[in-house]
Amino acid sequence: FVALDTSQSYGQGSAEYDWLVNDLQSTAQPWIVVFAHYPAYSSGEHGGRKKLQNQVMPLLEAHGVDVVFAGHDHIYERTCPIRDGACTTPEAGGVVHFVTGGGGSSLYQAEGDWFTEYTEGVNHFLRVEVDGCRLAVEAVDTNGTVFDSYRLDRCGEGEGK
């Protein structure tokens, strides 16, 4: 689990960026999950951060990050697996981004964009489960109903990435 401080300088050459490079290069964990406040990709009111897309996402993609969780926009959104600024597959190194900003404050309208697999302006939380070679994310509304889910199964790939 990598906590990226997107409220500080995180571009190439910054202390945050250098730390992130070192952390990603030194891990041998089978799953890499990044979380931050500001999203790289969001179709909500505030939108995604181009600087994150251009400077940080290529680094995350190159080091096999599986999912990114962010907030800021008061919506739920799940992207397609993204690599090199386009939709792809997890097997091709695509990273799925979640905007999970529906924790209780007023909600924004969810618009959708080229990268959007699912979006909704709804109060919610995410339930994340990692079970060996399987990762599951469920978006759950205030009634306890799962309204979106994402699964990544690497059991056929052997151990590790």
Side-chain angles (χ1 to χ4, degrees):
F1 292 91
V2 179
L4 184 60
D5 187 351
T6 54
S7 296
Q8 302 295 319
S9 177
Y10 54 79
Q12 292 178 359
S14 69
E16 182 86 357
Y17 187 90
D18 292 344
W19 169 83
L20 180 60
V21 168
N22 182 61
D23 191 60
L24 292 173
Q25 286 177 341
S26 65
T27 189
Q29 297 301 317
W31 297 101
I32 304 174
V33 176
V34 173
F35 55 98
H37 179 75
Y38 295 107
Y41 297 95
S42 174
S43 66
E45 183 175 311
H46 297 294
R49 303 286 178 166
K50 290 289 186 191
K51 188 175 180 180
L52 280 169
Q53 292 172 23
N54 295 332
Q55 294 192 22
V56 177
M57 291 311 112
L59 178 64
L60 301 185
E61 293 164 6
H63 287 90
V65 169
D66 298 292
V67 293
V68 175
F69 297 107
H72 195 60
D73 272 329
H74 298 180
I75 63 171
Y76 169 79
E77 187 164 28
R78 175 176 51 85
T79 72
C80 59
I82 299 172
R83 183 173 181 94
D84 298 327
C87 289
T88 185
T89 65
E91 296 78 20
V95 180
V96 176
H97 298 257
F98 291 85
V99 177
T100 178
S105 190
S106 59
L107 298 169
Y108 301 162
Q109 186 170 351
E111 297 293 329
D113 207 325
W114 65 265
F115 47 77
T116 305
E117 289 281 322
Y118 188 98
T119 189
E120 189 171 342
V122 60
N123 293 116
H124 69 279
F125 66 91
L126 296 185
R127 182 170 35 226
V128 180
E129 183 177 336
V130 177
D131 183 13
C133 54
R134 293 181 180 90
L135 177 132
V137 180
E138 295 180 329
V140 184
D141 69 16
T142 56
N143 294 318
T145 303
V146 174
F147 63 90
D148 185 44
S149 62
Y150 173 75
R151 307 253 187 283
L152 188 53
D153 188 334
R154 290 205 181 114
C155 293
E157 298 179 15
E159 290 187 41
K161 290 192 171 265

